[in-house]
Amino acid sequence: MRYRLPIAMLTLSLCACAGLPPSANDLSHAPQIEFGQALPAGNHYILHYPAGTPLPVSASVDGSLFSLADQTDLHVTLKRDLYVFGQFVSFDGKDWRPSRDVIETKLELRIPQEDGKKAGRLHIQLDLK
C-alpha cells in the first residue's frame, strides 16, 4: 500500500518522457542505418528512408479460414527523406517529433468491398498533418 504513490509517480514521469524528442546524446550514439541494410540488435538506431527509393511493403492474407493464402509486395516511394528513431520521425535528421504528431494513419478494411466484386479491401493511407 505504501508503494502506490512512488509507483504512480514513476509511471507518470516515464509516460511524460515518452513524448520528449531524443536527446543529442541519444542520437549521437545511435548508428544511422540506410533502408535495405541489416538492422542492428535492439531498437537504438536511426533508420533512413531516402526519397525517391522504391520501398517494398509486404501484404498478405492468411489464416485457418483459407485453403489458399496469398501475399504480394507493393512498392511505394517517399516524396522526401524520412528518418525514424523509435517513435520519432524527422525529415532532416535534426528536428525530431513524435510520429503521431507528424503522420496521420488511416486504415480501412471492408468485407466485402462496396461494389461486391471483390471479397474485401484493405487500404492504408499515410498523410502529413
Side-chain angles (χ1 to χ4, degrees):
M1 183 86 148
R2 66 181 186 174
Y3 295 109
R4 285 186 184 170
L5 184 58
I7 291 172
M9 291 174 57
L10 177 62
T11 302
L12 287 174
S13 64
L14 289 174
C15 291
C17 291
L20 297 175
S23 69
N25 186 47
D26 287 338
L27 295 171
S28 68
H29 288 94
Q32 181 169 312
I33 308 300
E34 294 296 316
F35 168 74
Q37 292 180 327
L39 298 178
N43 60 0
H44 191 78
Y45 56 86
I46 299 168
L47 183 56
H48 175 225
Y49 294 98
T53 300
L55 304 171
V57 177
S58 293
S60 62
V61 177
D62 59 20
S64 62
L65 179 66
F66 301 102
S67 63
L68 177 64
D70 201 2
Q71 82 88 60
T72 191
D73 285 337
L74 309 171
H75 293 84
V76 296
T77 305
L78 293 172
K79 291 182 179 179
R80 51 198 292 201
D81 285 358
L82 182 67
Y83 299 85
V84 179
F85 181 78
Q87 297 177 1
F88 295 90
V89 296
S90 173
F91 296 111
D92 59 8
K94 298 174 186 164
D95 178 34
W96 294 90
R97 297 177 48 200
S99 60
R100 68 180 179 276
D101 293 350
V102 178
I103 301 170
E104 180 177 2
T105 304
K106 294 178 185 173
L107 175 64
E108 175 189 19
L109 176 61
R110 291 183 182 251
I111 301 174
Q113 192 168 328
E114 284 181 346
D115 62 8
K117 294 181 181 177
K118 295 191 178 177
R121 172 190 160 109
L122 174 63
H123 177 227
I124 299 172
Q125 181 175 335
L126 303 172
D127 291 309
L128 295 176
K129 288 187 176 181

Short mmCIF file of all heavy atoms in Angstrom, two decimals, residues 2-64:
data_model
loop_
_atom_site.label_atom_id
_atom_site.label_comp_id
_atom_site.label_asym_id
_atom_site.label_seq_id
_atom_site.Cartn_x
_atom_site.Cartn_y
_atom_site.Cartn_z
N ARG A 2 1.96 1.27 0.76
CA ARG A 2 2.77 2.47 0.85
C ARG A 2 3.58 2.73 -0.42
O ARG A 2 4.16 3.79 -0.59
CB ARG A 2 3.69 2.40 2.06
CG ARG A 2 4.73 1.32 1.95
CD ARG A 2 5.59 1.27 3.16
NE ARG A 2 6.64 0.30 2.90
CZ ARG A 2 7.63 0.07 3.67
NH1 ARG A 2 7.73 0.70 4.80
NH2 ARG A 2 8.54 -0.81 3.36
N TYR A 3 3.66 1.75 -1.36
CA TYR A 3 4.43 1.92 -2.58
C TYR A 3 3.58 2.46 -3.73
O TYR A 3 4.11 2.75 -4.79
CB TYR A 3 5.05 0.59 -3.01
CG TYR A 3 6.07 0.08 -2.03
CD1 TYR A 3 5.80 -1.03 -1.24
CD2 TYR A 3 7.28 0.72 -1.88
CE1 TYR A 3 6.73 -1.49 -0.33
CE2 TYR A 3 8.22 0.27 -0.97
CZ TYR A 3 7.94 -0.84 -0.20
OH TYR A 3 8.86 -1.29 0.70
N ARG A 4 2.30 2.63 -3.53
CA ARG A 4 1.44 3.05 -4.63
C ARG A 4 1.81 4.43 -5.16
O ARG A 4 1.88 4.64 -6.35
CB ARG A 4 -0.03 3.03 -4.21
CG ARG A 4 -0.59 1.65 -4.14
CD ARG A 4 -2.05 1.69 -3.86
NE ARG A 4 -2.54 0.33 -3.71
CZ ARG A 4 -3.74 0.03 -3.29
NH1 ARG A 4 -4.58 0.98 -2.97
NH2 ARG A 4 -4.10 -1.21 -3.18
N LEU A 5 2.04 5.39 -4.29
CA LEU A 5 2.36 6.74 -4.73
C LEU A 5 3.68 6.79 -5.49
O LEU A 5 3.73 7.34 -6.60
CB LEU A 5 2.36 7.73 -3.55
CG LEU A 5 2.60 9.19 -3.93
CD1 LEU A 5 1.55 9.67 -4.92
CD2 LEU A 5 2.58 10.05 -2.68
N PRO A 6 4.77 6.21 -4.98
CA PRO A 6 6.01 6.24 -5.76
C PRO A 6 5.88 5.53 -7.11
O PRO A 6 6.42 6.00 -8.11
CB PRO A 6 7.02 5.52 -4.86
CG PRO A 6 6.49 5.67 -3.49
CD PRO A 6 4.99 5.68 -3.64
N ILE A 7 5.16 4.44 -7.15
CA ILE A 7 4.98 3.72 -8.42
C ILE A 7 4.16 4.57 -9.38
O ILE A 7 4.48 4.67 -10.56
CB ILE A 7 4.33 2.33 -8.18
CG1 ILE A 7 5.33 1.42 -7.47
CG2 ILE A 7 3.86 1.72 -9.49
CD1 ILE A 7 4.77 0.11 -7.01
N ALA A 8 3.12 5.22 -8.89
CA ALA A 8 2.30 6.09 -9.73
C ALA A 8 3.13 7.26 -10.26
O ALA A 8 3.02 7.63 -11.43
CB ALA A 8 1.10 6.59 -8.95
N MET A 9 3.96 7.85 -9.40
CA MET A 9 4.80 8.97 -9.83
C MET A 9 5.80 8.52 -10.89
O MET A 9 6.04 9.21 -11.87
CB MET A 9 5.50 9.59 -8.63
CG MET A 9 4.55 10.32 -7.71
SD MET A 9 5.31 10.92 -6.19
CE MET A 9 6.62 11.92 -6.81
N LEU A 10 6.40 7.35 -10.70
CA LEU A 10 7.35 6.83 -11.66
C LEU A 10 6.66 6.57 -13.00
O LEU A 10 7.18 6.92 -14.06
CB LEU A 10 7.99 5.54 -11.14
CG LEU A 10 8.95 4.84 -12.08
CD1 LEU A 10 10.15 5.73 -12.39
CD2 LEU A 10 9.41 3.53 -11.48
N THR A 11 5.48 5.99 -12.97
CA THR A 11 4.73 5.71 -14.19
C THR A 11 4.42 6.99 -14.93
O THR A 11 4.60 7.08 -16.15
CB THR A 11 3.43 4.94 -13.86
OG1 THR A 11 3.78 3.74 -13.17
CG2 THR A 11 2.65 4.63 -15.11
N LEU A 12 3.95 8.01 -14.21
CA LEU A 12 3.63 9.29 -14.85
C LEU A 12 4.87 9.94 -15.45
O LEU A 12 4.83 10.49 -16.54
CB LEU A 12 2.97 10.24 -13.84
CG LEU A 12 1.54 9.91 -13.48
CD1 LEU A 12 1.04 10.83 -12.36
CD2 LEU A 12 0.64 10.02 -14.69
N SER A 13 5.98 9.88 -14.75
CA SER A 13 7.19 10.51 -15.27
C SER A 13 7.70 9.77 -16.51
O SER A 13 8.18 10.39 -17.45
CB SER A 13 8.28 10.59 -14.20
OG SER A 13 8.69 9.31 -13.81
N LEU A 14 7.59 8.45 -16.53
CA LEU A 14 8.01 7.69 -17.70
C LEU A 14 7.10 7.99 -18.89
O LEU A 14 7.57 8.10 -20.02
CB LEU A 14 8.03 6.19 -17.41
CG LEU A 14 9.15 5.72 -16.48
CD1 LEU A 14 8.97 4.25 -16.17
CD2 LEU A 14 10.51 5.97 -17.08
N CYS A 15 5.80 8.12 -18.65
CA CYS A 15 4.87 8.45 -19.73
C CYS A 15 5.16 9.84 -20.27
O CYS A 15 5.08 10.08 -21.47
CB CYS A 15 3.42 8.36 -19.25
SG CYS A 15 2.90 6.67 -18.91
N ALA A 16 5.48 10.78 -19.39
CA ALA A 16 5.78 12.15 -19.83
C ALA A 16 7.05 12.15 -20.68
O ALA A 16 7.14 12.87 -21.67
CB ALA A 16 5.95 13.06 -18.62
N CYS A 17 8.04 11.35 -20.32
CA CYS A 17 9.30 11.31 -21.08
C CYS A 17 9.11 10.68 -22.45
O CYS A 17 9.87 10.95 -23.37
CB CYS A 17 10.36 10.52 -20.32
SG CYS A 17 10.93 11.34 -18.83
N ALA A 18 8.11 9.84 -22.60
CA ALA A 18 7.90 9.17 -23.88
C ALA A 18 7.59 10.15 -24.99
O ALA A 18 7.83 9.87 -26.15
CB ALA A 18 6.78 8.14 -23.75
N GLY A 19 7.06 11.34 -24.66
CA GLY A 19 6.74 12.33 -25.66
C GLY A 19 7.87 13.29 -25.97
O GLY A 19 7.76 14.11 -26.86
N LEU A 20 8.98 13.20 -25.23
CA LEU A 20 10.11 14.09 -25.46
C LEU A 20 10.96 13.58 -26.61
O LEU A 20 11.19 12.37 -26.73
CB LEU A 20 10.97 14.19 -24.20
CG LEU A 20 10.29 14.78 -22.97
CD1 LEU A 20 11.23 14.71 -21.76
CD2 LEU A 20 9.87 16.21 -23.22
N PRO A 21 11.44 14.49 -27.48
CA PRO A 21 12.28 14.03 -28.58
C PRO A 21 13.59 13.45 -28.06
O PRO A 21 14.01 13.76 -26.94
CB PRO A 21 12.52 15.30 -29.40
CG PRO A 21 12.10 16.43 -28.56
CD PRO A 21 11.21 15.91 -27.48
N PRO A 22 14.24 12.64 -28.87
CA PRO A 22 15.52 12.06 -28.43
C PRO A 22 16.55 13.17 -28.19
O PRO A 22 16.56 14.18 -28.89
CB PRO A 22 15.92 11.14 -29.57
CG PRO A 22 15.12 11.57 -30.74
CD PRO A 22 13.88 12.22 -30.21
N SER A 23 17.40 12.95 -27.22
CA SER A 23 18.44 13.94 -26.90
C SER A 23 19.57 13.85 -27.93
O SER A 23 19.72 12.85 -28.64
CB SER A 23 18.99 13.69 -25.51
OG SER A 23 19.74 12.49 -25.49
N ALA A 24 20.38 14.90 -27.98
CA ALA A 24 21.54 14.90 -28.87
C ALA A 24 22.47 13.74 -28.52
O ALA A 24 23.07 13.12 -29.41
CB ALA A 24 22.27 16.24 -28.76
N ASN A 25 22.56 13.41 -27.23
CA ASN A 25 23.40 12.29 -26.79
C ASN A 25 22.85 10.97 -27.33
O ASN A 25 23.61 10.13 -27.82
CB ASN A 25 23.49 12.28 -25.27
CG ASN A 25 24.45 11.22 -24.77
OD1 ASN A 25 25.57 11.12 -25.26
ND2 ASN A 25 24.02 10.43 -23.80
N ASP A 26 21.52 10.78 -27.23
CA ASP A 26 20.89 9.56 -27.77
C ASP A 26 21.19 9.42 -29.26
O ASP A 26 21.56 8.35 -29.74
CB ASP A 26 19.38 9.58 -27.58
CG ASP A 26 18.95 9.37 -26.15
OD1 ASP A 26 19.74 8.81 -25.36
OD2 ASP A 26 17.81 9.77 -25.81
N LEU A 27 21.02 10.52 -29.99
CA LEU A 27 21.20 10.49 -31.44
C LEU A 27 22.66 10.27 -31.82
O LEU A 27 22.95 9.56 -32.79
CB LEU A 27 20.68 11.78 -32.06
CG LEU A 27 19.17 12.00 -31.93
CD1 LEU A 27 18.80 13.40 -32.37
CD2 LEU A 27 18.39 10.96 -32.70
N SER A 28 23.58 10.85 -31.07
CA SER A 28 25.00 10.72 -31.41
C SER A 28 25.51 9.29 -31.19
O SER A 28 26.48 8.87 -31.82
CB SER A 28 25.85 11.71 -30.61
OG SER A 28 25.85 11.37 -29.24
N HIS A 29 24.85 8.55 -30.30
CA HIS A 29 25.27 7.17 -30.03
C HIS A 29 24.48 6.13 -30.83
O HIS A 29 24.74 4.94 -30.72
CB HIS A 29 25.16 6.86 -28.54
CG HIS A 29 26.19 7.56 -27.72
ND1 HIS A 29 25.97 8.78 -27.12
CD2 HIS A 29 27.47 7.24 -27.44
CE1 HIS A 29 27.06 9.16 -26.49
NE2 HIS A 29 27.99 8.25 -26.67
N ALA A 30 23.53 6.60 -31.63
CA ALA A 30 22.72 5.68 -32.42
C ALA A 30 23.28 5.59 -33.84
O ALA A 30 23.48 6.62 -34.50
CB ALA A 30 21.27 6.16 -32.47
N PRO A 31 23.57 4.39 -34.33
CA PRO A 31 24.05 4.29 -35.70
C PRO A 31 22.94 4.65 -36.68
O PRO A 31 21.76 4.39 -36.42
CB PRO A 31 24.43 2.81 -35.83
CG PRO A 31 23.62 2.11 -34.81
CD PRO A 31 23.43 3.09 -33.68
N GLN A 32 23.31 5.28 -37.79
CA GLN A 32 22.33 5.57 -38.83
C GLN A 32 22.40 4.47 -39.87
O GLN A 32 23.45 4.21 -40.46
CB GLN A 32 22.58 6.92 -39.49
CG GLN A 32 21.53 7.22 -40.55
CD GLN A 32 21.58 8.64 -41.04
OE1 GLN A 32 21.64 9.57 -40.26
NE2 GLN A 32 21.56 8.81 -42.35
N ILE A 33 21.28 3.82 -40.08
CA ILE A 33 21.17 2.69 -41.00
C ILE A 33 20.37 3.15 -42.22
O ILE A 33 19.32 3.77 -42.08
CB ILE A 33 20.44 1.50 -40.33
CG1 ILE A 33 21.07 1.14 -38.98
CG2 ILE A 33 20.37 0.31 -41.26
CD1 ILE A 33 22.51 0.74 -39.05
N GLU A 34 20.87 2.84 -43.40
CA GLU A 34 20.13 3.14 -44.62
C GLU A 34 19.13 2.01 -44.88
O GLU A 34 19.43 0.84 -44.62
CB GLU A 34 21.08 3.26 -45.81
CG GLU A 34 22.02 4.45 -45.72
CD GLU A 34 21.29 5.79 -45.74
OE1 GLU A 34 20.36 5.96 -46.55
OE2 GLU A 34 21.64 6.65 -44.92
N PHE A 35 17.97 2.37 -45.39
CA PHE A 35 16.98 1.36 -45.73
C PHE A 35 17.63 0.30 -46.61
O PHE A 35 18.36 0.61 -47.53
CB PHE A 35 15.78 1.98 -46.46
CG PHE A 35 14.89 0.95 -47.07
CD1 PHE A 35 14.06 0.19 -46.28
CD2 PHE A 35 14.94 0.69 -48.42
CE1 PHE A 35 13.26 -0.80 -46.83
CE2 PHE A 35 14.16 -0.29 -48.99
CZ PHE A 35 13.32 -1.03 -48.19
N GLY A 36 17.39 -0.96 -46.29
CA GLY A 36 17.94 -2.08 -47.04
C GLY A 36 19.14 -2.72 -46.35
O GLY A 36 19.48 -3.86 -46.66
N GLN A 37 19.79 -1.99 -45.44
CA GLN A 37 20.90 -2.56 -44.69
C GLN A 37 20.35 -3.42 -43.56
O GLN A 37 19.21 -3.24 -43.11
CB GLN A 37 21.78 -1.47 -44.08
CG GLN A 37 22.56 -0.66 -45.08
CD GLN A 37 23.40 0.41 -44.39
OE1 GLN A 37 23.04 0.94 -43.36
NE2 GLN A 37 24.54 0.71 -44.99
N ALA A 38 21.17 -4.32 -43.07
CA ALA A 38 20.79 -5.15 -41.93
C ALA A 38 20.60 -4.26 -40.70
O ALA A 38 21.39 -3.34 -40.46
CB ALA A 38 21.85 -6.20 -41.66
N LEU A 39 19.56 -4.53 -39.94
CA LEU A 39 19.30 -3.77 -38.73
C LEU A 39 20.12 -4.31 -37.57
O LEU A 39 20.25 -5.52 -37.41
CB LEU A 39 17.80 -3.83 -38.38
CG LEU A 39 16.86 -3.24 -39.41
CD1 LEU A 39 15.41 -3.42 -38.95
CD2 LEU A 39 17.15 -1.78 -39.68
N PRO A 40 20.65 -3.43 -36.73
CA PRO A 40 21.39 -3.90 -35.56
C PRO A 40 20.45 -4.48 -34.53
O PRO A 40 19.23 -4.26 -34.58
CB PRO A 40 22.08 -2.63 -35.04
CG PRO A 40 21.26 -1.50 -35.56
CD PRO A 40 20.63 -1.97 -36.83
N ALA A 41 21.00 -5.20 -33.57
CA ALA A 41 20.19 -5.76 -32.49
C ALA A 41 19.59 -4.61 -31.68
O ALA A 41 20.16 -3.53 -31.59
CB ALA A 41 21.05 -6.64 -31.59
N GLY A 42 18.45 -4.87 -31.09
CA GLY A 42 17.79 -3.85 -30.28
C GLY A 42 17.07 -2.84 -31.16
O GLY A 42 16.84 -3.07 -32.35
N ASN A 43 16.72 -1.70 -30.57
CA ASN A 43 16.00 -0.69 -31.35
C ASN A 43 16.63 0.70 -31.22
O ASN A 43 15.97 1.70 -31.42
CB ASN A 43 14.53 -0.66 -30.95
CG ASN A 43 14.34 -0.33 -29.49
OD1 ASN A 43 15.30 -0.12 -28.76
ND2 ASN A 43 13.10 -0.27 -29.04
N HIS A 44 17.91 0.74 -30.89
CA HIS A 44 18.60 2.02 -30.70
C HIS A 44 19.39 2.36 -31.97
O HIS A 44 20.61 2.21 -32.02
CB HIS A 44 19.52 1.96 -29.47
CG HIS A 44 20.03 3.30 -29.07
ND1 HIS A 44 19.27 4.20 -28.39
CD2 HIS A 44 21.23 3.89 -29.29
CE1 HIS A 44 19.98 5.29 -28.19
NE2 HIS A 44 21.18 5.13 -28.73
N TYR A 45 18.68 2.77 -33.02
CA TYR A 45 19.31 3.15 -34.28
C TYR A 45 18.38 4.12 -35.00
O TYR A 45 17.19 4.22 -34.72
CB TYR A 45 19.59 1.93 -35.16
CG TYR A 45 18.38 1.09 -35.47
CD1 TYR A 45 17.56 1.40 -36.54
CD2 TYR A 45 18.05 0.00 -34.68
CE1 TYR A 45 16.44 0.64 -36.81
CE2 TYR A 45 16.94 -0.78 -34.94
CZ TYR A 45 16.14 -0.45 -36.01
OH TYR A 45 15.03 -1.19 -36.28
N ILE A 46 18.95 4.85 -35.94
CA ILE A 46 18.19 5.75 -36.80
C ILE A 46 18.08 5.07 -38.16
O ILE A 46 19.09 4.69 -38.75
CB ILE A 46 18.91 7.11 -36.95
CG1 ILE A 46 19.06 7.79 -35.59
CG2 ILE A 46 18.17 8.00 -37.95
CD1 ILE A 46 20.00 8.97 -35.59
N LEU A 47 16.86 4.91 -38.64
CA LEU A 47 16.64 4.28 -39.93
C LEU A 47 16.26 5.36 -40.94
O LEU A 47 15.32 6.12 -40.72
CB LEU A 47 15.54 3.22 -39.84
CG LEU A 47 15.23 2.43 -41.10
CD1 LEU A 47 16.48 1.74 -41.65
CD2 LEU A 47 14.14 1.41 -40.83
N HIS A 48 17.03 5.44 -42.02
CA HIS A 48 16.82 6.46 -43.05
C HIS A 48 16.15 5.83 -44.26
O HIS A 48 16.68 4.90 -44.86
CB HIS A 48 18.17 7.08 -43.45
CG HIS A 48 18.06 8.04 -44.58
ND1 HIS A 48 18.94 8.03 -45.63
CD2 HIS A 48 17.19 9.03 -44.84
CE1 HIS A 48 18.61 8.99 -46.48
NE2 HIS A 48 17.55 9.61 -46.02
N TYR A 49 14.98 6.38 -44.61
CA TYR A 49 14.27 6.00 -45.83
C TYR A 49 14.48 7.14 -46.82
O TYR A 49 13.90 8.22 -46.66
CB TYR A 49 12.77 5.83 -45.58
CG TYR A 49 12.41 4.68 -44.67
CD1 TYR A 49 12.15 4.90 -43.32
CD2 TYR A 49 12.28 3.39 -45.17
CE1 TYR A 49 11.79 3.85 -42.48
CE2 TYR A 49 11.93 2.34 -44.34
CZ TYR A 49 11.68 2.59 -43.01
OH TYR A 49 11.32 1.55 -42.18
N PRO A 50 15.30 6.97 -47.86
CA PRO A 50 15.57 8.07 -48.78
C PRO A 50 14.40 8.33 -49.75
O PRO A 50 13.72 7.41 -50.18
CB PRO A 50 16.80 7.60 -49.55
CG PRO A 50 16.88 6.14 -49.35
CD PRO A 50 16.11 5.80 -48.12
N ALA A 51 14.22 9.60 -50.06
CA ALA A 51 13.20 9.99 -51.04
C ALA A 51 13.54 9.38 -52.39
O ALA A 51 14.71 9.20 -52.73
CB ALA A 51 13.13 11.50 -51.15
N GLY A 52 12.51 9.03 -53.14
CA GLY A 52 12.71 8.53 -54.49
C GLY A 52 13.11 7.07 -54.60
O GLY A 52 13.26 6.56 -55.70
N THR A 53 13.31 6.41 -53.48
CA THR A 53 13.70 4.99 -53.49
C THR A 53 12.46 4.11 -53.37
O THR A 53 11.67 4.30 -52.45
CB THR A 53 14.65 4.70 -52.31
OG1 THR A 53 15.81 5.51 -52.44
CG2 THR A 53 15.05 3.23 -52.29
N PRO A 54 12.27 3.16 -54.27
CA PRO A 54 11.13 2.25 -54.13
C PRO A 54 11.25 1.45 -52.82
O PRO A 54 12.28 0.83 -52.56
CB PRO A 54 11.23 1.32 -55.33
CG PRO A 54 12.06 2.07 -56.32
CD PRO A 54 13.02 2.89 -55.50
N LEU A 55 10.22 1.49 -52.03
CA LEU A 55 10.19 0.80 -50.74
C LEU A 55 9.19 -0.35 -50.82
O LEU A 55 7.98 -0.12 -50.97
CB LEU A 55 9.78 1.77 -49.63
CG LEU A 55 10.62 3.03 -49.48
CD1 LEU A 55 9.99 3.98 -48.49
CD2 LEU A 55 12.04 2.66 -49.06
N PRO A 56 9.66 -1.59 -50.75
CA PRO A 56 8.72 -2.71 -50.80
C PRO A 56 7.95 -2.85 -49.49
O PRO A 56 8.51 -2.72 -48.41
CB PRO A 56 9.62 -3.93 -51.04
CG PRO A 56 10.96 -3.51 -50.56
CD PRO A 56 11.04 -2.02 -50.69
N VAL A 57 6.65 -3.07 -49.62
CA VAL A 57 5.78 -3.29 -48.48
C VAL A 57 5.07 -4.62 -48.72
O VAL A 57 4.40 -4.79 -49.75
CB VAL A 57 4.73 -2.15 -48.33
CG1 VAL A 57 3.79 -2.43 -47.19
CG2 VAL A 57 5.42 -0.81 -48.16
N SER A 58 5.22 -5.55 -47.81
CA SER A 58 4.58 -6.86 -47.96
C SER A 58 3.13 -6.80 -47.48
O SER A 58 2.85 -6.22 -46.44
CB SER A 58 5.31 -7.92 -47.14
OG SER A 58 6.59 -8.13 -47.67
N ALA A 59 2.26 -7.40 -48.25
CA ALA A 59 0.85 -7.52 -47.87
C ALA A 59 0.49 -9.00 -47.99
O ALA A 59 0.88 -9.67 -48.94
CB ALA A 59 -0.03 -6.68 -48.78
N SER A 60 -0.24 -9.50 -47.00
CA SER A 60 -0.62 -10.91 -47.06
C SER A 60 -1.98 -11.12 -46.42
O SER A 60 -2.42 -10.34 -45.58
CB SER A 60 0.42 -11.78 -46.35
OG SER A 60 0.50 -11.44 -44.99
N VAL A 61 -2.63 -12.17 -46.88
CA VAL A 61 -3.88 -12.62 -46.30
C VAL A 61 -3.72 -14.12 -46.07
O VAL A 61 -3.41 -14.86 -46.99
CB VAL A 61 -5.09 -12.36 -47.24
CG1 VAL A 61 -6.37 -12.91 -46.64
CG2 VAL A 61 -5.23 -10.88 -47.55
N ASP A 62 -3.89 -14.53 -44.80
CA ASP A 62 -3.75 -15.95 -44.49
C ASP A 62 -4.56 -16.28 -43.25
O ASP A 62 -5.25 -15.43 -42.71
CB ASP A 62 -2.27 -16.33 -44.31
CG ASP A 62 -1.59 -15.55 -43.19
OD1 ASP A 62 -2.28 -14.99 -42.32
OD2 ASP A 62 -0.36 -15.49 -43.19
N GLY A 63 -4.48 -17.49 -42.82
CA GLY A 63 -5.18 -17.93 -41.62
C GLY A 63 -5.91 -19.23 -41.86
O GLY A 63 -6.01 -19.72 -42.99
N SER A 64 -6.44 -19.78 -40.79
CA SER A 64 -7.08 -21.10 -40.87
C SER A 64 -8.40 -21.07 -41.63
O SER A 64 -8.92 -22.12 -42.01
CB SER A 64 -7.30 -21.66 -39.46
OG SER A 64 -8.17 -20.81 -38.73
#
